[in-house]
Amino acid sequence: MVEEIWEELAKAKYMEWELASARRSWELNSLKETCDAALNQQRALDMSRTKESSEEAYSSHTERLKALNQVFEKAAKDDKPTEVPDYLCCNITLEIFRDPVISPSGVTYERAAIREHINKVGKFDRITREKLDPSKLVPNLAIKEAVASYLEKHVWVYKVDS
Amino acid sequence: MVTGAVSAMAAKQAERLKEDGNNCFKKERFGAAIDAYTEAITLSPKVPVYWTNRALCHMKRKDWTRVEEDCRQAIQLDHDSVKAHYMLGLALLQKEEYADGVKALQRALDFGRGANPTGYMVEEIWEELSKAKYMEWELLSARRSWELNSLKETCVAALNQQRALDMSRTEESSEEDYSSHTEQLKALDRVFEKAAEEDKPTEVPDYLCCNITLEIFRDPVISPSGVTYERAAILEHINKVGKFDPITREKLDPSKLVPNLAIKEAVAAYLEKHVWAYKTGC
């Protein structure tokens, strides 16, 4: 039941984000095009005023357009899906943590995944091979907070691939 | 001069001279110490300690050029010398060569941690490295900030110019046109603010800070109750206050502290992106 609810919630959050980010993206592009046009217009005016156009002026104009590009890219960054950082993902499930627990050897796993490993494969830490008792698994509260914070900023992570 | 193997006598004599130098150093007679080490080096040039000892004397006299020279020699002889990389880093910082200084200090820290993670030197190196990274960032971010501002002003001027042209073309100017122009300028403001965000010191997220030290984690460990602390701070708490978790009050044995590797990685990633965090706490 919990799994189903989580799935539906994730889907809903993703759709909400998709809509909002599409609009943000359109607005940003629109603004950028206006700025580019205005800068080019400015350049045309400057050129018509001075008798000669210098190499320098041309390259500084192209530099400016490039720099502006970078500025707009930076502004759009949060909306661009990238890879979720390794330290927020379980190396069994390869997905972002939902309920992270840490083993005595310091490795963090998805609770369900490491329990399944202990039941089906054996009572040892999957990475370090050290003995691993399920009672020794400790909730990694700090990482749980880190995941929550990350999801708030990067809602696109909620997209669940089926 | 000595080209091949150093004779046993020469080596012995060199060691004696080193001891002389050490004694002079303790009495803060740095000039005399330097002379002694120099003689030792002449007799036996391949002993890295002679070079680093001499470098330390130069450092006391703030003779940074010589510090750099001696450290580079020492590194050639002993690739892993913590002291040599450390002093080299400090010397480079003096020359405002921040990037290389930071690299040298980082090497010193890495070698130092490998040898003795809780040694006093590691703490000192970490402090200097943090300071250096912060200074390097301050310089770069000031320049980035200036460049961004300059670009923004150019865009605003261009947009205003465009607007003036548009207005002169149409017979009347509408309310709509005016408000959409101001909206554009506001939106542009936000875009530039976003682009400058990484360089603006804010608060380090709570989950990356120890709630004893209130500073960003350096060596985070997790207790059986799931709370993460700075290793040094929680050990001090256990020694001075008692064997219990400060937050949950549950019994806490130091042997049960586990390194929170995931948080350690998270901190490293955060510091790479927000270098200003080396200076601030939470």
Side-chain angles (χ1 to χ4, degrees):
Chain A
M1 186 64 215
V2 173
E3 181 63 28
E4 270 178 36
I5 299 176
W6 201 96
E7 297 268 349
E8 286 304 317
L9 184 58
K11 244 192 279 181
K13 286 204 183 186
Y14 182 77
M15 275 170 21
E16 184 187 41
W17 166 83
E18 227 187 6
L19 213 74
S21 92
R23 194 181 68 217
R24 279 193 294 264
S25 183
W26 184 88
E27 284 171 351
L28 267 185
N29 265 332
S30 175
L31 181 61
K32 177 163 169 301
E33 281 178 9
T34 308
C35 287
D36 278 345
L39 283 176
N40 284 326
Q41 170 93 270
Q42 181 90 63
R43 165 117 177 104
L45 270 169
D46 289 343
M47 277 175 73
S48 71
R49 284 195 193 122
T50 60
K51 299 281 209 237
E52 28 180 292
S53 87
S54 69
E55 275 282 334
E56 267 171 33
Y58 176 70
S59 71
S60 87
H61 176 71
T62 24
E63 282 308 308
R64 225 174 273 139
L65 290 176
K66 258 196 242 170
L68 192 64
N69 232 357
Q70 279 168 4
V71 166
F72 274 88
E73 256 178 48
K74 258 197 171 159
K77 212 170 47 158
D78 282 343
D79 270 345
K80 287 221 178 343
T82 54
E83 263 182 42
V84 180
D86 278 343
Y87 53 81
L88 294 181
C89 296
C90 171
N91 41 39
I92 303 178
T93 66
L94 299 179
E95 279 179 21
I96 199 168
F97 286 119
R98 295 187 203 177
D99 189 10
V101 291
I102 191 169
S103 73
S105 25
V107 184
T108 305
Y109 300 98
E110 185 61 48
R111 189 195 290 271
I114 189 65
R115 298 204 79 156
E116 191 178 1
H117 166 88
I118 289 176
N119 287 335
K120 294 199 172 156
V121 187
K123 289 192 178 176
F124 60 91
D125 189 309
R126 207 160 167 264
I127 302 275
T128 66
R129 301 277 170 181
E130 287 170 31
K131 196 176 71 130
L132 178 48
D133 194 275
S135 63
K136 296 283 198 297
L137 294 171
V138 170
N140 198 336
L141 302 173
I143 284 291
K144 204 162 181 178
E145 260 188 79
V147 166
S149 172
Y150 190 85
L151 286 174
E152 243 185 70
K153 256 192 123 190
H154 308 93
V155 186
W156 44 260
V157 180
Y158 278 109
K159 185 169 195 189
V160 179
D161 291 326
S162 38
Chain B
M1 223 27 280
V2 178
T3 46
V6 176
S7 76
M9 253 187 65
K12 244 189 177 161
Q13 174 69 334
E15 274 298 301
R16 253 178 262 134
L17 285 160
K18 186 197 88 174
E19 291 302 322
D20 288 344
N22 291 353
N23 288 331
C24 290
F25 182 88
K26 282 190 198 122
K27 296 186 193 138
E28 300 205 349
R29 291 169 52 210
F30 302 124
I34 289 174
D35 290 338
Y37 295 134
T38 306
E39 266 198 73
I41 287 172
T42 313
L43 284 172
S44 183
K46 293 211 195 278
V47 179
V49 168
Y50 303 162
W51 294 93
T52 48
N53 283 8
R54 193 170 77 172
L56 186 55
C57 297
H58 289 312
M59 208 167 87
K60 291 285 185 189
R61 289 164 125 203
K62 307 227 187 276
D63 193 347
W64 296 105
T65 319
R66 295 212 161 86
V67 172
E68 186 179 342
E69 281 168 11
D70 283 354
C71 286
R72 290 199 189 277
Q73 281 291 339
I75 289 171
Q76 288 224 15
L77 298 168
D78 177 8
H79 177 256
D80 297 356
S81 168
V82 176
K83 286 189 180 153
H85 285 290
Y86 179 51
M87 290 191 280
L88 175 62
L90 295 179
L92 290 170
L93 291 178
Q94 286 295 322
K95 280 168 39 176
E96 301 199 344
E97 289 178 29
Y98 293 115
D100 289 332
V102 163
K103 279 196 209 133
L105 287 178
Q106 187 67 58
R107 264 177 248 131
L109 187 65
D110 292 337
F111 290 133
R113 280 210 175 118
N116 181 7
T118 54
Y120 74 92
M121 265 234 89
V122 169
E123 182 63 30
E124 200 182 310
I125 299 172
W126 202 97
E127 293 283 343
E128 288 299 322
L129 180 58
S130 307
K131 248 193 277 172
K133 285 202 181 186
Y134 185 82
M135 274 171 14
E136 185 188 19
W137 165 81
E138 233 185 2
L139 213 76
L140 292 174
S141 87
R143 195 177 67 210
R144 279 194 290 262
S145 180
W146 185 89
E147 285 171 353
L148 266 184
N149 264 333
S150 177
L151 180 62
K152 178 164 157 253
E153 280 176 13
T154 309
C155 287
V156 170
L159 283 174
N160 285 333
Q161 170 95 269
Q162 181 90 64
R163 163 115 179 105
L165 271 169
D166 290 341
M167 277 174 73
S168 73
R169 285 196 193 123
T170 60
E171 308 267 273
E172 29 179 292
S173 86
S174 70
E175 276 284 333
E176 263 173 34
D177 293 335
Y178 176 69
S179 69
S180 92
H181 175 72
T182 25
E183 281 311 310
Q184 254 175 12
L185 291 178
K186 264 197 234 163
L188 193 66
D189 246 347
R190 284 195 299 265
V191 166
F192 273 86
E193 246 178 64
K194 199 96 211 276
E197 226 174 40
E198 265 168 22
D199 270 346
K200 285 222 176 349
T202 53
E203 266 182 38
V204 180
D206 277 343
Y207 53 82
L208 293 182
C209 296
C210 170
N211 40 37
I212 303 178
T213 67
L214 298 179
E215 280 178 18
I216 199 168
F217 285 117
R218 293 187 206 180
D219 189 6
V221 292
I222 191 168
S223 73
S225 24
V227 185
T228 304
Y229 300 100
E230 183 63 47
R231 186 194 292 270
I234 189 64
L235 286 177
E236 191 178 0
H237 167 90
I238 289 176
N239 286 335
K240 294 199 175 156
V241 186
K243 290 191 176 181
F244 61 91
D245 190 310
I247 303 273
T248 67
R249 298 276 171 181
E250 287 172 32
K251 196 174 72 129
L252 178 48
D253 195 274
S255 64
K256 296 284 197 297
L257 294 171
V258 171
N260 197 335
L261 302 173
I263 285 292
K264 205 164 183 181
E265 263 190 76
V267 166
Y270 190 84
L271 285 174
E272 242 188 73
K273 256 193 118 193
H274 308 92
V275 187
W276 48 260
Y278 276 107
K279 198 175 198 196
T280 60
C282 308

